[in-house]
Amino acid sequence: MFPKPTTYANGNNHRLVHFFDQKMQGDFERMEDILADASRHTRAACEEITQLPYEAFKPLQRWSGDLDRHLEQNSLLTEDFRHAARSALREMAQLEPELAPGLIEDATRLLRDALEASYRVCDLLAAEQAIAKHRGNRN
């Protein structure tokens, strides 16, 4: 990182200098935040699903219960959670959007974000294990 300047040139030019106090972080440093986002998105998706009319809620009822259970157990990194989320997304894709304008789209978006975050954290953890294994073999 460059040191902060103590003098500035006063010629016929100008400079724009940005100083950032916080270091930029990648996904690996943000794993906890990404997983917390997955919980938040899943919780919001479940709330949207419960607000659906009965005709739309009925096919999602089983998966909504499974998603709630995974939230309670903080088990968003398991294959069971991802199966429940994918199954709920498949059921939502078959619903008529006119049944609940906006709610179905919002729940779908939130659940996709939660699923993506779960996969991202699992990928980061797998990469960390692979690197540790590789380093262990070299020593």
Side-chain angles (χ1 to χ4, degrees):
M1 181 144 165
F2 298 109
K4 291 183 180 180
T6 55
T7 60
Y8 298 93
N10 55 5
N12 281 340
N13 60 19
H14 68 279
R15 291 186 177 100
L16 180 64
V17 180
H18 291 274
F19 295 102
F20 297 102
D21 290 337
Q22 296 179 351
K23 186 174 114 178
M24 302 298 274
Q25 295 182 342
D27 283 353
F28 190 77
E29 290 82 15
R30 295 183 47 248
M31 265 197 289
E32 293 89 359
D33 293 336
I34 296 170
L35 189 58
D37 289 344
S39 295
R40 181 177 44 129
H41 293 312
T42 304
R43 192 171 293 110
C46 288
E47 288 173 13
E48 296 280 333
I49 290 170
T50 58
Q51 293 177 12
L52 292 172
Y54 183 72
E55 307 86 51
F57 176 70
K58 186 175 180 179
L60 295 170
Q61 192 170 9
R62 174 177 176 224
W63 303 116
S64 177
D66 285 352
L67 293 171
D68 283 334
R69 183 176 47 84
H70 287 292
L71 275 171
E72 289 173 10
Q73 297 173 355
N74 287 325
S75 60
L76 301 182
L77 296 179
T78 63
E79 186 56 39
D80 289 340
F81 165 75
R82 290 190 291 275
H83 173 71
R86 285 190 308 265
S87 299
L89 284 169
R90 275 193 297 275
E91 291 290 338
M92 282 191 276
Q94 296 175 3
L95 296 175
E96 295 294 326
E98 295 81 28
L99 288 174
L103 285 177
I104 295 173
E105 291 86 5
D106 289 345
T108 301
R109 179 184 45 80
L110 289 164
L111 201 50
R112 279 187 183 143
D113 290 346
L115 189 59
E116 181 182 333
S118 175
Y119 275 120
R120 183 66 179 148
V121 171
C122 285
D123 291 344
L124 290 167
L125 290 172
E128 182 181 39
Q129 290 175 351
I131 290 168
K133 182 178 177 183
H134 178 71
R135 286 183 179 154
N137 288 339
R138 286 182 37 193
N139 292 334

